[in-house]
Amino acid sequence: MGKTPKSVLLVDDHELILEGIAQLVESVDGFRVVGKAENGQMAIELVELLRPDMVLMDVDMPVMNGLEATQRIKAQNPDTR
């Protein structure tokens, strides 16, 4: 039996960046992309729904920036990296 892949949520307001990072993450053995969000508010909602092991977050985004979203995610989901 192999190791369970680490689940990753990607967050960026630029679709091209999201797709490029998704391809990169998927190419690394042991990681899989479980979701993508375009702003911090959407990231918070998807973390609650998908429960990823980690979140790769852009800092400068509309609606809610990555710093505020990260603080909220860590407060509600301390095991999420």
Side-chain angles (χ1 to χ4, degrees), residues 4-41:
T4 303
K6 297 289 184 191
S7 57
V8 182
L9 173 68
L10 304 177
V11 188
D12 197 297
D13 57 324
H14 295 97
E15 182 67 26
L16 188 59
I17 300 293
L18 269 180
E19 291 307 316
I21 293 173
Q23 287 180 8
L24 182 62
V25 170
E26 290 285 343
S27 74
V28 177
D29 192 34
F31 293 90
R32 67 184 168 88
V33 175
V34 294
K36 300 174 193 167
E38 60 188 36
N39 62 60
Q41 182 61 47

Side-chain angles (χ1 to χ4, degrees), residues 15-67:
E15 182 67 26
L16 188 59
I17 300 293
L18 269 180
E19 291 307 316
I21 293 173
Q23 287 180 8
L24 182 62
V25 170
E26 290 285 343
S27 74
V28 177
D29 192 34
F31 293 90
R32 67 184 168 88
V33 175
V34 294
K36 300 174 193 167
E38 60 188 36
N39 62 60
Q41 182 61 47
M42 185 182 282
I44 291 169
E45 293 167 9
L46 285 178
V47 166
E48 289 299 314
L49 180 67
L50 301 172
R51 301 289 184 191
D53 296 312
M54 67 180 67
V55 178
L56 294 178
M57 177 97 62
D58 184 17
V59 175
D60 186 24
M61 295 180 293
V63 182
M64 181 185 299
N65 70 50
L67 297 175

